[in-house]
Structure formats: structure tokens, C-alpha cells
């Protein structure tokens, strides 16, 4: 007896696309096949839809605790559910920072109460906890370690190579790095006084990223620690990363695959401001090549909500970051429909490889025994992304007004719908993702 059977969707399985039924029991995929006539509590017709393993966003900032007027675990996870995202990994630059066992456990308990989809949290590396990362990273709901090598939003920063090395020596989970060189960021900031946001990528220039990435890879080599390079944005880093595939995995944001400078700053001003910056077309093209060649491992939205009145401050007082968790799936499905990547490659980047990179248990594949986390998409739907659709408390998206082809129409978390036909259903049911 199945709890739920999804009938007749085109399932993206490890063996390719197949028109199959998905039978679910106890929150897990029990059987994939032709299940007509088999008893089920509920049968949902998925004819005409594609059934993907649940999309996981491995980089979001949900602002709880401390800045919950911008976002909290409830609103951020609601945005995830509406956008077809079945799990997220959340960053530690909240207030206070997630840098201790108690603070991480607090987030996990809070998310168990309020999160619509499954979740995990990064432990933030700091000068104070550098030698204790090995214990901290083993906590329930911890997906890995986050180290800010250059400063961005919040107070977390580890810019001393000696401390960076101590972090890499403590523990074994992947250390996810925000890779910009702090000394160069500081030295260059005064050069741009009185200038506009179009200089954001010049202040935080390619060399900032390349220097920082080269240095952290050298430390990873010395220590043997595996890294995950978050939001890689420059052509110059790609050869370095390619030469170190054994140690380093690579994440790229959909924003950098969809916008470029100077166009984005002309259209959106400081709404397009994020760290590391959206850069000129040369970098955009190099990132696409890296997606297409297989070099890029995963996509992460870097969902980083800031209110419109904060964004209206003159650059560089305007904060960096933009919402993204709700738009990741439709924006990338549009790229699929435009022929820039296959649906299978999108599933690899945003589900299977996220689970692989972070060793998430029972996630990322449509196979029996795995969690029944499913993202149902209508590849033919043509829709306009609008601010009014955005569930984030800040109520805006850089993609407002963009027409896309391909839309998430169902989000199933461990066997239960949390979004169906565009509406939230049920109640928050998120649980911590488990890691091997
Ligand atoms: O643009 C960004 N915003 N980059 C980051 O690294 C942090 C994020 C935020 O939390 O606002």
C-alpha cells in the first residue's frame, strides 16, 4: 500500500528520463515503475510534468536570529517551497553568528518548528573557534564549515593565514570559503570614494578573488583538507580550480549566469550589488563554459535578503546581496529551455551533486530507498517573475519582470506536498538533513 503515487510524470532518474509512476511509502521512494492498479492512499496525476529529485539550495542567508525583519527560517523556507526547493543549507552570518554548538543547536531546534522544507546549517569559522571546528562540525544538522576569507555581510572573518590553516587542520567536513582577499579589499576601497555601484566589481576585482583562491588552495594542499569554493565569479580562478579538482568543489550562482556588468548595474543599480560581484560578460561566458564542461559542481542562490530602503543607500553603504532561493528553479529552467544546459545537467548541479559534495544521506536521486523529495516542474509554462510572487520578507527580486519558460508546480518533502500548483499546502515539516 503506497501513501502516495505520482502517476505518469517524466522522471529524471540516474538512468535517464523515463515516463514512470513514483510510489512513496513512509516518506521514502518505495518503487519506480508502472504502478496502475496498485493500492495507494492518494494518487496524483503528473502527466505532462517532469519529476526531478528535490532541488537543494546549498547557500542561503535567512537572517534568524538577529535580523528577522528581513527574513526568518519560516519566511525563507516558505520562499524555498514556493520555488520548488526541497532543502537548503543556511549560512552562519546571522546575529549572533553561528559559531558555537549552542548557537547551531538553537537554529536546528527553531527550524524544526518553523521550516517548510529540510535544512542544514554551516558552522562559522572564527579566530576563537578555529581549533574546535572538528567537534562543532559533527553536530546534528551541520552540513559543513563556512569561512569568510574576506569580509562581507556580518562580522565573521578569518583573514590570517595562520588561523585559516588551523581551521583546515581541525575536522574533516568540507570548508566552504567566501574567497576574496581582505587586504586587497581594504586597500582598494578608498580608491572608489564618491563613485557609483558600477565600480563594485572594480573595487572587489578579479585579482581579489584569484589571490585569495590561490592562497587557500595552497593551504588546503598543505593540510589535505577538502574545500568548497562558494560563488566563484571570475574567469581567472577557473584554471586554478581545474588544477585542484581532487581537493576543491565549485559553486556558481544563477545570478552570475543570468546577468552581467555593466548592464545589470545600469538596469538595477544597487539591487544588483552582491559579493563577490556580478562582473563583465567575459566572466559570465567563462562561467557558462565551466558549467557546460562539467567543471562546476553545484549552483547556490546565495539568497541574501536586504530591504529596499537599505539598498537605496548610496554605494558602498548599500548592503550586498539579493534574494534568490525562490527564483533559482524558474531561472535555471529558462536556461534549460534556451538550450544552455540540459535538464539532466541542472538536476546534477542542483540536486545530485549537492548531495555528493556535502555527503547528504538519501538525497539527490530518484531511486528506491531515497527520501521522497521531489520537485515537479512544467517545462512548457511561460510565466513572468514578479515581486508580488516573492515570499521573502523583503518582497523583491532582481528578476522582477523577467519572462521565463519552465516553472515549479509542486514541491514534495519526504512524501508530502508543501507546495502544489503554486500554493503552500500543509504545514512546516522540515527536518535536518543527515550527513555521512
Ligand atoms: O552579497 C552577499 N551578501 N555576499 C555575502 O557573502 C553575504 C551576503 C549577505 O549575507 O548579505
Amino acid at each position: 500500500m503506497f501513501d502516495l503515487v505520482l502517476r505518469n510524470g517524466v522522471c529524471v532518474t540516474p538512468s535517464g528520463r523515463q515516463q514512470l509512476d513514483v510510489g512513496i511509502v513512509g516518506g521514502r521512494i518505495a518503487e519506480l515503475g508502472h504502478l496502475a492498479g496498485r493500492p495507494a492512499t492518494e494518487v496524483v496525476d503528473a502527466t505532462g510534468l517532469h519529476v526531478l529529485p528535490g532541488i537543494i539550495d546549498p547557500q542561503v542567508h535567512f537572517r534568524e536570529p538577529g535580523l528577522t525583519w528581513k527574513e526568518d527560517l519560516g519566511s525563507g523556507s516558505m520562499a524555498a517551497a514556493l520555488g520548488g526547493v526541497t532543502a537548503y543549507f543556511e549560512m552562519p552570518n546571522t546575529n549572533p553568528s553561528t559559531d558555537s554548538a549552542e548557537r547551531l543547536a538553537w537554529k536546528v531546534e527553531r527550524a524544526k518548528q518553523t521550516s517548510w522544507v529540510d535544512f542544514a546549517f554551516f558552522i562559522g569559522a572564527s579566530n576563537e573557534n578555529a581549533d574546535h571546528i572538528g567537534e562543532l562540525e559533527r553536530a546534528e544538522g551541520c552540513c559543513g564549515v563556512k569561512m569568510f576569507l574576506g569580509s562581507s555581510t556580518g562580522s565573521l572573518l578569518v583573514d590570517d593565514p595562520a588561523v585559516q590553516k588551523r581551521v583546515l587542520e581541525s575536522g574533516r567536513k568540507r570548508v566552504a570559503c567566501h574567497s576574496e582577499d581582505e587586504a586587497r579589499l581594504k586597500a582598494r576601497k578608498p580608491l572608489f570614494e564618491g563613485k557609483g555601484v558600477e565600480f563594485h566589481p572594480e573595487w572587489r576585482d578579479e585579482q581579489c578573488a584569484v589571490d585569495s583562491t590561490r592562497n587557500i588552495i595552497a593551504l588546503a594542499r598543505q593540510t589535505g583538507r577538502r574545500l568548497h569554493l562558494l560563488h566563484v565569479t571570475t574567469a581567472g580562478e577557473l584554471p586554478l580550480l581545474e588544477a585542484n579538482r581532487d581537493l576543491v568543489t565549485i559553486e556558481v550562482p544563477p545570478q552570475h549566469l543570468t546577468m552581467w556588468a555593466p548592464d545589470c548595474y545600469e538596469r538595477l543599480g544597487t539591487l544588483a550589488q552582491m559579493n563577490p560581484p556580478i562582473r563583465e560578460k567575459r566572466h559570465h561566458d567563462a562561467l557558462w563554459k565551466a558549467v557546460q564542461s562539467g567543471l562546476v559542481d553545484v549552483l547556490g542562490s546565495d539568497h541574501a535578503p536586504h530591504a529596499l530602503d537599505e539598498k537605496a543607500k548610496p554605494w558602498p553603504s548599500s548592503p550586498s546581496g539579493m534574494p534568490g532561493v525562490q527564483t533559482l528553479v524558474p531561472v535555471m529552467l529558462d536556461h534549460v529551455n534556451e538550450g544552455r544546459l540540459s535538464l539532466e545537467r541542472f538536476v546534477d548541479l542542483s540536486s545530485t551533486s549537492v548531495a555528493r559534495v556535502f555527503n547528504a544521506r538519501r538525497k539527490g536521486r530518484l531511486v528506491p530507498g531515497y527520501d521522497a523529495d521531489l520537485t515537479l516542474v512544467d517545462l512548457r509554462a511561460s510565466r513572468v517573475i514578479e515581486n508580488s510572487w516573492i515570499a521573502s520578507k523583503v518582497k523583491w527580486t532582481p528578476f522582477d519582470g523577467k519572462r521565463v519558460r519552465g516553472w515549479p508546480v509542486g514541491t514534495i518533502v519526504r512524501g508530502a506536498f508543501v507546495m502544489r500548483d503554486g500554493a503552500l499546502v500543509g504545514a512546516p515539516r522540515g527536518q535536518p538533513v543527515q550527513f555521512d
Side-chain angles (χ1 to χ4, degrees):
M1 178 82 174
F2 297 111
D3 300 328
L4 172 64
V5 169
L6 273 186
R7 289 270 295 140
N8 216 26
V10 178
C11 297
V12 178
T13 77
S15 313
R17 286 182 211 200
Q18 303 178 64
Q19 193 149 15
L20 293 172
D21 307 327
V22 185
I24 297 167
V25 178
R28 304 248 175 100
I29 299 170
E31 210 172 317
L32 288 165
H34 298 289
L35 308 177
R38 303 272 298 276
T41 307
E42 191 185 359
V43 177
V44 171
D45 185 14
T47 305
L49 302 179
H50 284 75
V51 182
L52 316 182
I55 298 301
I56 309 171
D57 188 341
Q59 190 184 175
V60 303
H61 304 263
F62 281 169
R63 310 303 189 204
E64 184 171 4
L67 297 161
T68 51
W69 50 278
K70 297 197 213 207
E71 203 74 289
D72 58 30
L73 292 160
S75 62
S77 65
M78 207 180 274
L82 287 168
V85 170
T86 57
Y88 58 85
F89 299 169
E90 207 260 354
M91 285 295 166
N93 58 333
T94 44
N95 188 8
S97 305
T98 318
D99 56 3
S100 70
E102 295 70 30
R103 289 172 176 177
L104 194 121
W106 186 90
K107 273 192 175 176
V108 169
E109 287 314 308
R110 182 78 183 146
K112 283 180 183 172
Q113 307 300 318
T114 63
S115 183
W116 283 81
V117 302
D118 283 355
F119 53 82
F121 298 100
F122 285 93
I123 187 83
S126 70
N127 294 330
E128 290 71 36
N129 71 12
D131 301 318
H132 304 288
I133 292 296
E135 300 137 52
L136 294 169
E137 68 172 24
R138 288 201 295 270
E140 181 192 29
C142 182
C143 49
V145 182
K146 168 73 179 275
M147 183 151 65
F148 281 91
L149 311 176
S151 50
S152 188
T153 304
S155 56
L156 284 170
L157 176 67
V158 181
D159 59 344
D160 176 350
V163 184
Q164 292 169 355
K165 186 159 180 252
R166 280 166 43 209
V167 170
L168 298 185
E169 282 167 346
S170 182
R172 53 172 285 279
K173 283 195 177 170
R174 252 177 220 284
V175 179
C177 294
H178 179 119
S179 186
E180 292 185 284
D181 185 75
E182 181 66 9
R184 189 170 167 89
L185 284 179
K186 273 204 190 115
R188 288 174 66 75
K189 197 168 183 187
L191 305 179
F192 300 96
E193 230 160 81
K195 299 207 162 141
V197 68
E198 65 277 17
F199 286 91
H200 197 60
E202 274 197 50
W203 165 33
R204 310 180 79 107
D205 68 351
E206 180 174 23
Q207 201 180 327
C208 260
V210 171
D211 287 353
S212 168
T213 293
R214 185 180 297 111
N215 293 340
I216 199 68
I217 288 176
L219 287 178
R221 269 283 148 237
Q222 278 178 39
T223 56
R225 186 64 174 269
R226 293 171 311 149
L227 299 180
H228 179 64
L229 261 284
L230 297 161
H231 37 44
V232 172
T233 64
T234 70
E237 286 167 282
L238 296 171
L240 276 174
L241 296 166
E242 189 164 14
N244 290 278
R245 292 295 282 157
D246 54 328
L247 276 184
V248 189
T249 48
I250 303 165
E251 181 172 320
V252 165
Q255 293 91 310
H256 293 68
L257 296 173
T258 312
M259 297 185 268
W260 54 86
D263 170 80
C264 63
Y265 300 107
E266 286 162 9
R267 286 190 300 111
L268 298 168
T270 54
L271 296 186
Q273 177 190 335
M274 64 181 288
N275 300 331
I278 300 176
R279 306 181 188 279
E280 65 266 38
K281 198 77 175 22
R282 173 171 79 81
H283 298 286
H284 168 92
D285 293 345
L287 293 175
W288 265 116
K289 236 174 126 183
V291 166
Q292 288 155 354
S293 74
L295 181 61
V296 174
D297 289 280
V298 300
L299 304 175
S301 78
D302 197 6
H303 177 87
H306 294 287
L308 285 170
D309 58 344
E310 299 173 290
K311 283 296 231 180
K313 289 181 190 167
W315 183 84
S317 313
S318 43
S320 293
M322 55 182 82
V325 70
Q326 196 173 335
T327 49
L328 184 151
V329 172
V331 163
M332 291 311 301
L333 291 180
D334 191 57
H335 287 305
V336 168
N337 272 316
E338 291 295 318
R340 296 188 186 102
L341 78 170
S342 65
L343 185 63
E344 287 78 1
R345 178 69 172 129
F346 172 54
V347 165
D348 171 38
L349 287 162
S350 289
S351 185
T352 314
S353 282
V354 179
R356 170 180 60 79
V357 164
F358 292 95
N359 282 320
R361 201 176 291 165
R362 293 191 309 272
K363 302 286 193 198
R365 298 203 299 159
L366 275 192
V367 291
Y370 269 50
D371 285 354
D373 294 344
L374 308 171
T375 300
L376 274 59
V377 304
D378 182 349
L379 275 185
R380 293 161 314 182
S382 173
R383 296 272 300 267
V384 177
I385 296 174
E386 285 171 345
N387 286 343
S388 59
W389 176 60
I390 294 298
S392 166
K393 289 188 181 185
V394 301
K395 298 274 180 249
W396 67 273
T397 162
F399 300 114
D400 180 50
K402 182 178 172 62
R403 179 168 287 280
V404 293
R405 209 149 43 95
W407 199 262
V409 296
T411 308
I412 296 178
V413 175
R414 284 172 291 100
F417 275 96
V418 291
M419 182 275 278
R420 195 162 170 183
D421 298 328
L424 287 173
V425 290
R429 66 182 329 270
Q431 286 296 320
V433 175
Q434 296 173 334
F435 298 92
D436 293 321

